Amino acid sequence: MLYGCETWTIASEEMRRIKAFERWCYRRMQKISWTDRITNEEVLEKVSERKSMWKSIQKRRNELIGHILRHDGLLLLILEGVIDGKNHRRKPRLQYIQINIVSQIIEDQGCNSYQELKRKASDREAWKLLQTNH
């Protein structure tokens, strides 16, 4: 289910669907029929599972972006939009930073800008500590 989730752009509708799918899986594991009137809270108590798919997705995304920001490589060049070549006379290309996934990660980390996110990610130990606090 979570294959490649590090690169997903997740809107509120997708987040709602992920959470609904997770609850559906728990109900299937407990063999609870969809006609039974059991609340989601009761299902979570029966399963006694505190982790959620959404938290797992956030953790994976943060680990990947931290790795990318700490290392000089092709992914960092793509992320920052540093591409050699001629500028054409048309609408400028969107940089990857302007696309939703990076803005979602910036928001998840409580940063105000990409530069602040990059500064936080440069200290690996502090970055890992931030991930455990979220």
Side-chain angles (χ1 to χ4, degrees):
M1 159 60 187
L2 297 179
Y3 181 77
C5 67
E6 298 89 356
T7 60
W8 295 351
T9 300
I10 301 174
S12 58
E13 176 64 21
E14 284 85 16
M15 187 187 316
R16 186 188 64 76
R17 287 182 177 197
I18 288 169
K19 290 178 179 180
F21 175 74
E22 183 178 22
R23 291 187 302 263
W24 179 80
C25 289
Y26 290 149
R27 287 176 182 272
R28 292 284 301 210
M29 287 189 297
Q30 293 294 315
K31 297 182 178 162
I32 299 171
S33 172
W34 65 274
T35 58
D36 295 343
R37 294 196 174 260
I38 297 178
T39 65
N40 291 329
E41 289 77 23
E42 291 172 358
V43 172
L44 288 174
E45 285 176 17
K46 283 185 178 183
V47 177
S48 52
E49 182 68 35
R50 296 294 167 232
K51 277 178 33 180
S52 71
M53 282 187 196
W54 178 243
K55 293 286 184 191
S56 179
I57 290 170
Q58 282 183 316
K59 181 179 181 234
R60 287 180 176 200
R61 285 173 25 174
N62 292 332
E63 287 173 357
L64 177 68
I65 198 73
H67 177 76
I68 290 171
L69 293 176
R70 281 190 299 275
H71 296 86
D72 290 331
L74 182 61
L75 288 175
L76 184 63
L77 291 175
I78 292 169
L79 183 72
E80 293 181 344
V82 182
I83 301 170
D84 292 336
K86 194 158 86 172
N87 288 339
H88 296 283
R89 291 178 39 181
R90 59 178 181 243
K91 183 179 174 185
R93 285 187 229 143
L94 276 177
Q95 291 182 343
Y96 198 69
I97 293 171
Q98 296 166 331
I99 299 175
N100 289 336
I101 186 169
V102 178
S103 61
Q104 285 178 352
I105 294 170
I106 290 170
E107 185 180 307
D108 288 348
Q109 291 301 320
C111 299
N112 295 324
S113 66
Y114 172 73
Q115 287 75 24
E116 184 180 349
L117 179 73
K118 191 171 180 179
R119 184 183 48 77
K120 282 183 177 181
S122 64
D123 183 7
R124 186 175 192 181
E125 296 305 318
W127 183 259
K128 283 192 173 195
L129 186 61
L130 265 174
Q131 304 320 306
T132 56
N133 292 338
H134 282 354

Short mmCIF file of all heavy atoms in Angstrom, two decimals, residues 65 68-69 76 79-80 97 102 106 111-119:
data_model
loop_
_atom_site.label_atom_id
_atom_site.label_comp_id
_atom_site.label_asym_id
_atom_site.label_seq_id
_atom_site.Cartn_x
_atom_site.Cartn_y
_atom_site.Cartn_z
N ILE A 65 13.53 13.33 2.29
CA ILE A 65 13.91 14.72 2.02
C ILE A 65 15.15 15.10 2.82
O ILE A 65 16.01 15.82 2.33
CB ILE A 65 12.74 15.71 2.27
CG1 ILE A 65 13.00 17.04 1.59
CG2 ILE A 65 12.50 15.94 3.73
CD1 ILE A 65 12.88 17.03 0.12
N ILE A 68 18.09 13.67 0.89
CA ILE A 68 18.34 14.42 -0.34
C ILE A 68 19.00 15.76 -0.02
O ILE A 68 19.95 16.16 -0.71
CB ILE A 68 17.02 14.65 -1.11
CG1 ILE A 68 16.53 13.32 -1.69
CG2 ILE A 68 17.22 15.67 -2.23
CD1 ILE A 68 15.13 13.40 -2.29
N LEU A 69 18.53 16.44 1.01
CA LEU A 69 19.06 17.76 1.33
C LEU A 69 20.48 17.71 1.90
O LEU A 69 21.23 18.67 1.78
CB LEU A 69 18.14 18.48 2.31
CG LEU A 69 16.76 18.87 1.77
CD1 LEU A 69 15.91 19.47 2.87
CD2 LEU A 69 16.89 19.81 0.59
N LEU A 76 19.13 16.56 -5.57
CA LEU A 76 19.17 17.91 -5.00
C LEU A 76 19.13 18.96 -6.10
O LEU A 76 18.44 19.98 -5.98
CB LEU A 76 20.41 18.10 -4.13
CG LEU A 76 20.51 19.44 -3.40
CD1 LEU A 76 19.36 19.61 -2.42
CD2 LEU A 76 21.84 19.56 -2.69
N LEU A 79 15.61 19.07 -7.26
CA LEU A 79 14.76 19.68 -6.24
C LEU A 79 14.89 21.20 -6.25
O LEU A 79 13.91 21.92 -6.15
CB LEU A 79 15.13 19.12 -4.87
CG LEU A 79 14.31 19.59 -3.69
CD1 LEU A 79 12.93 18.96 -3.77
CD2 LEU A 79 14.98 19.20 -2.39
N GLU A 80 16.13 21.68 -6.37
CA GLU A 80 16.37 23.11 -6.32
C GLU A 80 16.21 23.79 -7.68
O GLU A 80 16.28 25.00 -7.78
CB GLU A 80 17.75 23.39 -5.74
CG GLU A 80 17.82 22.99 -4.28
CD GLU A 80 19.16 23.26 -3.65
OE1 GLU A 80 20.16 23.46 -4.39
OE2 GLU A 80 19.22 23.25 -2.42
N ILE A 97 10.46 22.79 -5.94
CA ILE A 97 10.18 23.37 -4.62
C ILE A 97 8.77 23.97 -4.61
O ILE A 97 8.10 23.98 -3.58
CB ILE A 97 11.22 24.44 -4.27
CG1 ILE A 97 12.58 23.77 -4.08
CG2 ILE A 97 10.84 25.22 -3.04
CD1 ILE A 97 13.72 24.74 -3.96
N VAL A 102 6.96 19.26 -1.70
CA VAL A 102 7.96 19.95 -0.89
C VAL A 102 7.27 20.95 0.03
O VAL A 102 7.64 21.08 1.20
CB VAL A 102 9.02 20.63 -1.78
CG1 VAL A 102 10.01 21.39 -0.94
CG2 VAL A 102 9.73 19.58 -2.62
N ILE A 106 7.61 21.08 4.04
CA ILE A 106 7.96 22.31 4.76
C ILE A 106 6.91 22.59 5.84
O ILE A 106 7.24 22.92 6.97
CB ILE A 106 8.08 23.49 3.77
CG1 ILE A 106 9.32 23.31 2.90
CG2 ILE A 106 8.13 24.82 4.50
CD1 ILE A 106 9.41 24.28 1.74
N CYS A 111 8.42 24.70 9.18
CA CYS A 111 9.37 25.68 8.66
C CYS A 111 8.62 26.75 7.87
O CYS A 111 7.54 26.52 7.35
CB CYS A 111 10.39 25.00 7.75
SG CYS A 111 11.38 23.76 8.59
N ASN A 112 9.26 27.91 7.75
CA ASN A 112 8.67 29.00 6.99
C ASN A 112 9.15 29.03 5.54
O ASN A 112 8.51 29.64 4.70
CB ASN A 112 8.96 30.34 7.65
CG ASN A 112 8.30 30.44 9.00
OD1 ASN A 112 7.20 29.95 9.19
ND2 ASN A 112 8.98 31.07 9.94
N SER A 113 10.31 28.40 5.28
CA SER A 113 10.86 28.46 3.94
C SER A 113 11.69 27.21 3.65
O SER A 113 12.02 26.43 4.55
CB SER A 113 11.75 29.70 3.78
OG SER A 113 12.90 29.56 4.60
N TYR A 114 12.02 27.06 2.38
CA TYR A 114 12.86 25.94 1.95
C TYR A 114 14.25 26.06 2.57
O TYR A 114 14.85 25.06 2.97
CB TYR A 114 12.95 25.91 0.42
CG TYR A 114 13.95 24.91 -0.09
CD1 TYR A 114 13.68 23.55 -0.03
CD2 TYR A 114 15.15 25.33 -0.63
CE1 TYR A 114 14.59 22.62 -0.48
CE2 TYR A 114 16.07 24.41 -1.08
CZ TYR A 114 15.79 23.07 -1.02
OH TYR A 114 16.70 22.15 -1.46
N GLN A 115 14.77 27.28 2.68
CA GLN A 115 16.10 27.48 3.25
C GLN A 115 16.13 27.03 4.71
O GLN A 115 17.11 26.43 5.17
CB GLN A 115 16.53 28.96 3.14
CG GLN A 115 16.90 29.39 1.75
CD GLN A 115 15.71 29.58 0.84
OE1 GLN A 115 14.58 29.83 1.29
NE2 GLN A 115 15.93 29.46 -0.46
N GLU A 116 15.08 27.32 5.44
CA GLU A 116 15.01 26.89 6.84
C GLU A 116 14.95 25.37 6.94
O GLU A 116 15.60 24.76 7.79
CB GLU A 116 13.79 27.51 7.52
CG GLU A 116 13.69 27.21 9.00
CD GLU A 116 12.46 27.84 9.63
OE1 GLU A 116 11.79 28.67 9.00
OE2 GLU A 116 12.18 27.46 10.78
N LEU A 117 14.18 24.74 6.04
CA LEU A 117 14.11 23.29 6.00
C LEU A 117 15.48 22.68 5.71
O LEU A 117 15.90 21.73 6.36
CB LEU A 117 13.10 22.84 4.93
CG LEU A 117 12.93 21.34 4.74
CD1 LEU A 117 12.17 20.75 5.92
CD2 LEU A 117 12.20 21.06 3.44
N LYS A 118 16.18 23.27 4.75
CA LYS A 118 17.51 22.77 4.38
C LYS A 118 18.50 22.93 5.54
O LYS A 118 19.32 22.05 5.79
CB LYS A 118 18.01 23.51 3.14
CG LYS A 118 19.22 22.90 2.53
CD LYS A 118 19.54 23.53 1.20
CE LYS A 118 20.77 22.87 0.61
NZ LYS A 118 21.12 23.42 -0.69
N ARG A 119 18.41 24.05 6.24
CA ARG A 119 19.30 24.28 7.39
C ARG A 119 19.04 23.24 8.49
O ARG A 119 19.96 22.68 9.06
CB ARG A 119 19.08 25.69 7.94
CG ARG A 119 20.02 26.06 9.08
CD ARG A 119 19.72 27.45 9.63
NE ARG A 119 18.31 27.70 9.91
CZ ARG A 119 17.65 27.23 10.97
NH1 ARG A 119 18.25 26.47 11.85
NH2 ARG A 119 16.37 27.54 11.14
#
